[in-house]
Amino acid sequence: MADRNWRNQTAVTEFILLAFGELPELKILLFLMFLVIYMATVAGNMLIIALVMSDQHLHNPMYFFLGNLSCLETCYTSTLLPSMLVSLLTGDRTISFRGCFSQLYFFGSLAATECYLLAAMSYDRYLAICKPLHYSTLMNNRFCLQLAAASWLNGCLATTIFGLFLSQLTFCGPNEIDHFYCDPMPLMELSCSDTHLSILVDFILACVFTLPPFLLTLTSYVFILASIMRIPSTTGRQKAFSTCSSHLTVVTIFYGTLMIFYMLPKHNTLRDLKKVLSLCFTVLTPLVNLLIYSLRNREVKEALSKAVSKCGFHKNMQRL
Protein backbone atom coordinates (compact mmCIF):
# COMPACT_ATOMS: atom_id res chain seq x y z
CA MET A 1 0.00 0.00 0.00
CA ALA A 2 2.84 2.41 0.83
CA ASP A 3 4.50 1.68 -2.51
CA ARG A 4 1.23 2.34 -4.36
CA ASN A 5 0.76 5.71 -2.63
CA TRP A 6 4.36 6.65 -3.44
CA ARG A 7 3.86 5.88 -7.12
CA ASN A 8 0.60 7.84 -7.23
CA GLN A 9 2.44 10.84 -5.83
CA THR A 10 4.91 11.04 -8.69
CA ALA A 11 5.12 9.97 -12.31
CA VAL A 12 8.93 9.77 -12.23
CA THR A 13 10.22 6.36 -11.11
CA GLU A 14 13.91 6.97 -11.82
CA PHE A 15 16.40 9.74 -12.50
CA ILE A 16 19.30 9.92 -14.93
CA LEU A 17 22.56 11.27 -13.55
CA LEU A 18 24.26 12.96 -16.50
CA ALA A 19 27.57 13.17 -14.60
CA PHE A 20 30.38 12.40 -17.04
CA GLY A 21 28.17 11.30 -19.92
CA GLU A 22 29.72 13.91 -22.21
CA LEU A 23 33.15 12.30 -21.73
CA PRO A 24 32.66 8.71 -22.96
CA GLU A 25 36.29 8.39 -24.08
CA LEU A 26 37.48 8.98 -20.49
CA LYS A 27 35.21 6.42 -18.80
CA ILE A 28 37.87 3.76 -18.26
CA LEU A 29 40.41 6.31 -17.01
CA LEU A 30 37.87 7.88 -14.64
CA PHE A 31 36.77 4.45 -13.42
CA LEU A 32 40.34 3.43 -12.58
CA MET A 33 41.10 6.78 -10.94
CA PHE A 34 37.97 6.74 -8.74
CA LEU A 35 38.49 3.06 -7.91
CA VAL A 36 42.01 3.75 -6.63
CA ILE A 37 40.77 6.79 -4.66
CA TYR A 38 37.91 4.78 -3.13
CA MET A 39 40.08 1.81 -2.16
CA ALA A 40 42.79 4.07 -0.71
CA THR A 41 40.27 6.15 1.25
CA VAL A 42 38.42 3.17 2.73
CA ALA A 43 41.57 1.16 3.49
CA GLY A 44 43.36 4.16 5.01
CA ASN A 45 40.45 5.22 7.20
CA MET A 46 39.86 1.66 8.38
CA LEU A 47 43.57 1.48 9.26
CA ILE A 48 43.30 4.68 11.33
CA ILE A 49 40.23 3.30 13.15
CA ALA A 50 42.14 0.07 13.92
CA LEU A 51 45.17 2.01 15.17
CA VAL A 52 43.05 4.27 17.40
CA MET A 53 41.30 1.25 18.90
CA SER A 54 44.41 -0.90 19.40
CA ASP A 55 47.15 1.56 20.44
CA GLN A 56 46.99 2.74 24.06
CA HIS A 57 48.86 5.95 23.23
CA LEU A 58 45.98 7.00 20.97
CA HIS A 59 43.31 6.54 23.64
CA ASN A 60 42.66 10.24 24.17
CA PRO A 61 39.93 12.68 23.05
CA MET A 62 41.78 13.94 19.97
CA TYR A 63 42.12 10.47 18.46
CA PHE A 64 38.66 9.41 19.63
CA PHE A 65 37.24 12.17 17.42
CA LEU A 66 39.69 11.25 14.65
CA GLY A 67 38.35 7.68 14.76
CA ASN A 68 34.81 9.04 14.43
CA LEU A 69 35.89 11.23 11.50
CA SER A 70 37.54 8.25 9.78
CA CYS A 71 34.39 6.18 10.23
CA LEU A 72 32.29 9.04 8.84
CA GLU A 73 34.47 9.52 5.78
CA THR A 74 34.42 5.81 5.02
CA CYS A 75 30.61 5.99 4.96
CA TYR A 76 30.76 9.33 3.14
CA THR A 77 32.70 8.01 0.15
CA SER A 78 30.72 4.73 0.17
CA THR A 79 27.51 6.72 -0.30
CA LEU A 80 28.66 8.16 -3.64
CA LEU A 81 31.60 6.35 -5.18
CA PRO A 82 30.26 2.76 -5.59
CA SER A 83 27.27 3.93 -7.65
CA MET A 84 29.55 6.23 -9.66
CA LEU A 85 31.93 3.33 -10.36
CA VAL A 86 29.07 1.08 -11.49
CA SER A 87 27.77 3.84 -13.76
CA LEU A 88 31.19 4.36 -15.36
CA LEU A 89 31.73 0.62 -15.81
CA THR A 90 28.30 -0.35 -17.17
CA GLY A 91 27.19 2.92 -18.75
CA ASP A 92 23.91 2.75 -16.81
CA ARG A 93 23.38 6.24 -15.40
CA THR A 94 19.89 5.68 -13.96
CA ILE A 95 19.08 5.75 -10.25
CA SER A 96 15.71 4.84 -8.79
CA PHE A 97 13.48 7.41 -7.13
CA ARG A 98 13.96 5.84 -3.71
CA GLY A 99 17.66 5.31 -4.36
CA CYS A 100 18.10 8.98 -5.21
CA PHE A 101 16.39 10.14 -2.02
CA SER A 102 18.31 7.59 0.07
CA GLN A 103 21.61 8.82 -1.38
CA LEU A 104 20.61 12.42 -0.74
CA TYR A 105 19.66 11.62 2.86
CA PHE A 106 22.83 9.74 3.79
CA PHE A 107 25.10 12.20 1.99
CA GLY A 108 23.41 15.20 3.67
CA SER A 109 23.47 13.55 7.11
CA LEU A 110 27.15 12.69 6.90
CA ALA A 111 28.11 16.15 5.58
CA ALA A 112 26.24 17.83 8.46
CA THR A 113 27.76 15.40 10.96
CA GLU A 114 31.25 16.25 9.69
CA CYS A 115 30.61 19.93 10.47
CA TYR A 116 29.84 19.02 14.09
CA LEU A 117 32.75 16.60 14.42
CA LEU A 118 35.19 19.22 13.13
CA ALA A 119 33.71 21.68 15.64
CA ALA A 120 34.15 19.14 18.47
CA MET A 121 37.76 18.56 17.41
CA SER A 122 38.46 22.30 17.32
CA TYR A 123 36.94 22.71 20.79
CA ASP A 124 39.15 19.86 22.02
CA ARG A 125 42.24 21.68 20.64
CA TYR A 126 41.03 24.94 22.23
CA LEU A 127 40.86 23.32 25.68
CA ALA A 128 44.22 21.57 25.20
CA ILE A 129 46.05 24.79 24.23
CA CYS A 130 44.13 27.56 26.03
CA LYS A 131 43.11 25.68 29.23
CA PRO A 132 45.71 22.91 29.62
CA LEU A 133 45.36 22.70 33.44
CA HIS A 134 41.63 21.96 33.19
CA TYR A 135 41.80 19.87 30.01
CA SER A 136 41.60 16.39 31.56
CA THR A 137 38.72 17.46 33.80
CA LEU A 138 36.66 19.20 31.10
CA MET A 139 37.33 16.81 28.21
CA ASN A 140 36.56 13.56 30.03
CA ASN A 141 35.34 10.32 28.45
CA ARG A 142 31.69 11.02 29.14
CA PHE A 143 31.83 14.48 27.56
CA CYS A 144 33.65 13.08 24.50
CA LEU A 145 30.92 10.48 24.01
CA GLN A 146 28.24 13.15 24.38
CA LEU A 147 29.91 15.40 21.79
CA ALA A 148 30.30 12.53 19.31
CA ALA A 149 26.71 11.31 19.82
CA ALA A 150 25.35 14.86 19.47
CA SER A 151 27.31 15.28 16.23
CA TRP A 152 25.79 12.18 14.64
CA LEU A 153 22.28 12.90 15.94
CA ASN A 154 22.24 16.53 14.79
CA GLY A 155 23.46 15.53 11.33
CA CYS A 156 20.68 12.94 10.99
CA LEU A 157 18.02 15.27 12.42
CA ALA A 158 18.79 18.13 10.03
CA THR A 159 18.58 15.93 6.94
CA THR A 160 15.48 14.10 8.19
CA ILE A 161 13.55 17.36 8.51
CA PHE A 162 14.65 18.52 5.05
CA GLY A 163 13.95 15.08 3.56
CA LEU A 164 10.38 15.17 4.85
CA PHE A 165 9.73 18.45 3.04
CA LEU A 166 11.51 17.26 -0.08
CA SER A 167 9.46 14.04 -0.21
CA GLN A 168 6.27 16.10 -0.54
CA LEU A 169 7.36 17.40 -3.95
CA THR A 170 5.99 15.84 -7.12
CA PHE A 171 8.13 14.95 -10.12
CA CYS A 172 6.29 14.54 -13.40
CA GLY A 173 8.53 16.09 -16.03
CA PRO A 174 12.24 15.85 -16.92
CA ASN A 175 14.26 13.36 -14.92
CA GLU A 176 17.83 14.26 -15.91
CA ILE A 177 20.05 15.55 -13.10
CA ASP A 178 23.15 17.36 -14.37
CA HIS A 179 25.35 15.97 -11.60
CA PHE A 180 27.08 12.77 -10.51
CA TYR A 181 24.94 12.35 -7.38
CA CYS A 182 21.50 13.41 -6.15
CA ASP A 183 22.21 16.97 -5.03
CA PRO A 184 19.18 18.79 -3.50
CA MET A 185 19.18 21.90 -5.71
CA PRO A 186 19.34 20.17 -9.14
CA LEU A 187 16.72 17.74 -7.84
CA MET A 188 14.32 20.48 -6.77
CA GLU A 189 14.71 22.16 -10.17
CA LEU A 190 13.03 19.08 -11.71
CA SER A 191 9.97 19.25 -9.47
CA CYS A 192 6.55 20.08 -10.94
CA SER A 193 5.32 21.54 -7.64
CA ASP A 194 6.17 24.77 -5.84
CA THR A 195 9.64 24.48 -4.30
CA HIS A 196 9.77 27.82 -2.45
CA LEU A 197 8.98 26.23 0.91
CA SER A 198 11.57 23.48 0.44
CA ILE A 199 14.23 26.05 -0.52
CA LEU A 200 13.33 28.16 2.52
CA VAL A 201 13.50 25.12 4.82
CA ASP A 202 16.87 24.17 3.29
CA PHE A 203 18.20 27.68 4.01
CA ILE A 204 16.83 27.73 7.58
CA LEU A 205 18.23 24.29 8.37
CA ALA A 206 21.62 25.28 6.93
CA CYS A 207 21.65 28.32 9.23
CA VAL A 208 20.43 26.44 12.30
CA PHE A 209 22.44 23.23 11.96
CA THR A 210 25.63 24.14 10.07
CA LEU A 211 26.30 27.78 10.95
CA PRO A 212 26.74 27.19 14.73
CA PRO A 213 29.46 24.47 14.32
CA PHE A 214 31.23 26.64 11.74
CA LEU A 215 31.19 29.64 14.10
CA LEU A 216 32.35 27.46 17.00
CA THR A 217 35.24 26.16 14.89
CA LEU A 218 36.16 29.68 13.78
CA THR A 219 35.96 31.07 17.33
CA SER A 220 38.04 28.22 18.74
CA TYR A 221 40.85 28.88 16.29
CA VAL A 222 40.78 32.61 16.91
CA PHE A 223 41.43 31.91 20.61
CA ILE A 224 43.95 29.17 19.79
CA LEU A 225 46.00 31.41 17.48
CA ALA A 226 45.83 34.27 19.99
CA SER A 227 47.05 31.96 22.75
CA ILE A 228 49.88 30.59 20.57
CA MET A 229 51.05 34.09 19.69
CA ARG A 230 51.40 34.88 23.41
CA ILE A 231 53.89 32.04 23.93
CA PRO A 232 57.32 33.72 24.32
CA SER A 233 59.58 31.07 22.76
CA THR A 234 59.57 30.13 19.08
CA THR A 235 59.94 26.45 19.95
CA GLY A 236 56.92 26.65 22.25
CA ARG A 237 54.81 28.30 19.54
CA GLN A 238 55.82 25.67 16.98
CA LYS A 239 55.05 22.82 19.38
CA ALA A 240 51.64 24.27 20.28
CA PHE A 241 50.75 24.93 16.65
CA SER A 242 51.81 21.43 15.58
CA THR A 243 49.10 19.93 17.81
CA CYS A 244 46.35 21.59 15.77
CA SER A 245 47.93 22.19 12.35
CA SER A 246 46.55 18.96 10.82
CA HIS A 247 43.02 19.70 11.99
CA LEU A 248 43.25 23.33 10.87
CA THR A 249 44.33 22.20 7.40
CA VAL A 250 41.39 19.77 7.19
CA VAL A 251 38.92 22.44 8.33
CA THR A 252 40.27 24.93 5.78
CA ILE A 253 40.00 22.46 2.89
CA PHE A 254 36.51 21.26 3.89
CA TYR A 255 34.89 24.65 4.47
CA GLY A 256 36.90 26.35 1.72
CA THR A 257 35.70 24.09 -1.09
CA LEU A 258 32.18 23.93 0.37
CA MET A 259 31.79 27.71 0.58
CA ILE A 260 33.23 28.34 -2.88
CA PHE A 261 30.84 25.74 -4.33
CA TYR A 262 27.69 27.22 -2.78
CA MET A 263 28.71 30.86 -3.27
CA LEU A 264 29.29 30.53 -7.01
CA PRO A 265 26.47 32.12 -9.05
CA LYS A 266 24.11 29.82 -10.91
CA HIS A 267 25.28 30.18 -14.49
CA ASN A 268 25.41 27.49 -17.14
CA THR A 269 29.02 28.45 -17.85
CA LEU A 270 29.98 27.55 -14.27
CA ARG A 271 28.30 24.13 -14.20
CA ASP A 272 31.49 22.25 -15.06
CA LEU A 273 33.45 24.21 -12.46
CA LYS A 274 30.84 23.37 -9.82
CA LYS A 275 31.10 19.69 -10.74
CA VAL A 276 34.87 19.85 -10.23
CA LEU A 277 34.39 21.54 -6.84
CA SER A 278 31.82 18.89 -5.91
CA LEU A 279 34.38 16.22 -6.70
CA CYS A 280 36.86 18.06 -4.47
CA PHE A 281 34.78 18.03 -1.28
CA THR A 282 32.98 14.71 -1.86
CA VAL A 283 35.73 12.49 -3.32
CA LEU A 284 39.14 14.10 -2.88
CA THR A 285 38.72 15.74 0.55
CA PRO A 286 38.33 12.43 2.46
CA LEU A 287 41.52 11.14 0.82
CA VAL A 288 43.40 14.40 1.48
CA ASN A 289 42.22 14.39 5.11
CA LEU A 290 43.55 10.86 5.47
CA LEU A 291 46.95 11.83 4.05
CA ILE A 292 47.15 14.92 6.27
CA TYR A 293 46.43 12.99 9.48
CA SER A 294 48.69 10.06 8.58
CA LEU A 295 51.68 11.89 7.06
CA ARG A 296 51.76 14.97 9.31
CA ASN A 297 50.86 13.27 12.59
CA ARG A 298 53.83 11.88 14.51
CA GLU A 299 51.78 9.75 16.93
CA VAL A 300 49.80 8.09 14.12
CA LYS A 301 53.03 7.29 12.26
CA GLU A 302 54.56 5.85 15.44
CA ALA A 303 51.48 3.70 16.08
CA LEU A 304 51.61 2.47 12.48
CA SER A 305 55.32 1.61 12.71
CA LYS A 306 54.66 -0.30 15.95
CA ALA A 307 51.85 -2.24 14.32
CA VAL A 308 54.04 -3.08 11.32
CA SER A 309 56.94 -4.16 13.53
CA LYS A 310 54.62 -6.38 15.60
CA CYS A 311 53.35 -8.05 12.43
CA GLY A 312 56.91 -8.61 11.29
CA PHE A 313 57.85 -10.00 14.70
CA HIS A 314 54.96 -12.46 14.70
CA LYS A 315 55.83 -13.60 11.18
CA ASN A 316 59.44 -14.23 12.20
CA MET A 317 58.28 -16.17 15.25
CA GLN A 318 56.02 -18.31 13.07
CA ARG A 319 58.92 -19.08 10.72
CA LEU A 320 61.09 -20.16 13.65
Side-chain angles (χ1 to χ4, degrees):
M1 181 66 70
D3 288 341
R4 188 178 301 169
N5 291 336
W6 189 287
R7 288 172 185 169
N8 289 336
Q9 187 181 2
T10 176
V12 173
T13 58
E14 63 182 19
F15 294 100
I16 299 173
L17 298 172
L18 298 181
F20 311 103
E22 68 276 10
L23 301 171
E25 68 279 1
L26 296 178
K27 278 188 177 181
I28 300 300
L29 179 62
L30 289 171
F31 172 79
L32 293 174
M33 182 180 71
F34 290 137
L35 180 62
V36 170
I37 290 173
Y38 180 58
M39 292 176 64
T41 302
V42 172
N45 280 305
M46 294 300 290
L47 179 61
I48 286 182
I49 293 171
L51 290 175
V52 170
M53 292 178 66
S54 61
D55 196 298
Q56 292 291 331
H57 295 92
L58 302 183
H59 288 182
N60 58 54
M62 177 181 174
Y63 293 104
F64 170 75
F65 291 123
L66 177 58
N68 273 267
L69 186 64
S70 295
C71 178
L72 181 143
E73 292 191 331
T74 302
C75 300
Y76 194 71
T77 52
S78 297
T79 303
L80 303 178
L81 275 176
S83 60
M84 193 190 308
L85 290 171
V86 171
S87 175
L88 287 169
L89 188 62
T90 64
D92 183 10
R93 294 180 288 165
T94 61
I95 183 171
S96 68
F97 191 88
R98 288 181 181 273
C100 186
F101 271 79
S102 297
Q103 187 186 70
L104 185 149
Y105 172 78
F106 286 111
F107 171 74
S109 297
L110 293 168
T113 301
E114 184 161 4
C115 293
Y116 281 93
L117 278 178
L118 291 175
M121 294 173 79
S122 66
Y123 183 65
D124 170 68
R125 293 300 84 203
Y126 160 75
L127 292 179
I129 294 173
C130 300
K131 297 182 181 295
L133 297 178
H134 304 284
Y135 176 74
S136 57
T137 304
L138 295 173
M139 192 59 71
N140 52 52
N141 292 336
R142 182 180 178 182
F143 187 53
C144 289
L145 287 171
Q146 289 174 342
L147 284 177
S151 298
W152 289 93
L153 289 174
N154 276 317
C156 293
L157 178 61
T159 313
T160 300
I161 296 172
F162 178 62
L164 289 174
F165 280 89
L166 204 60
S167 65
Q168 303 304 311
L169 300 178
T170 56
F171 297 87
C172 54
N175 66 338
E176 294 183 343
I177 301 175
D178 189 16
H179 221 302
F180 58 88
Y181 67 93
C182 290
D183 190 57
M185 294 309 294
L187 186 62
M188 285 191 284
E189 290 175 1
L190 300 178
S191 175
C192 303
S193 53
D194 186 10
T195 59
H196 287 89
L197 180 59
S198 297
I199 293 173
L200 178 62
V201 169
D202 185 27
F203 176 76
I204 293 172
L205 290 174
C207 293
V208 172
F209 284 94
T210 61
L211 190 59
F214 171 71
L215 292 177
L216 177 60
T217 303
L218 186 64
T219 305
S220 296
Y221 273 104
V222 168
F223 282 106
I224 287 170
L225 293 175
S227 180
I228 289 175
M229 294 305 295
R230 287 197 295 267
I231 297 175
S233 67
T234 304
T235 305
R237 286 197 296 268
Q238 290 176 347
K239 186 177 179 180
F241 186 74
S242 65
T243 63
C244 61
S245 59
S246 296
H247 181 254
L248 180 59
T249 305
V250 169
V251 167
T252 304
I253 294 171
F254 177 76
Y255 280 111
T257 53
L258 202 63
M259 290 172 69
I260 293 171
F261 174 79
Y262 284 107
M263 289 175 67
L264 280 176
K266 294 181 180 179
H267 291 307
N268 291 330
T269 54
L270 296 175
R271 283 182 180 244
D272 290 337
L273 177 59
K274 296 192 80 170
K275 283 183 184 179
V276 172
L277 288 171
S278 293
L279 280 174
C280 287
F281 71 78
T282 58
V283 177
L284 295 179
T285 300
L287 179 62
V288 172
N289 292 354
L290 170 66
L291 294 175
I292 289 170
Y293 277 116
S294 60
L295 296 179
R296 297 188 60 185
N297 193 298
R298 179 178 55 82
E299 291 178 315
V300 171
K301 287 190 288 186
E302 287 178 356
L304 180 59
S305 64
K306 287 179 185 177
V308 172
S309 63
K310 284 181 181 179
C311 291
F313 174 75
H314 288 307
K315 285 182 180 178
N316 292 331
M317 289 295 293
Q318 288 174 358
R319 288 175 184 175
L320 294 173

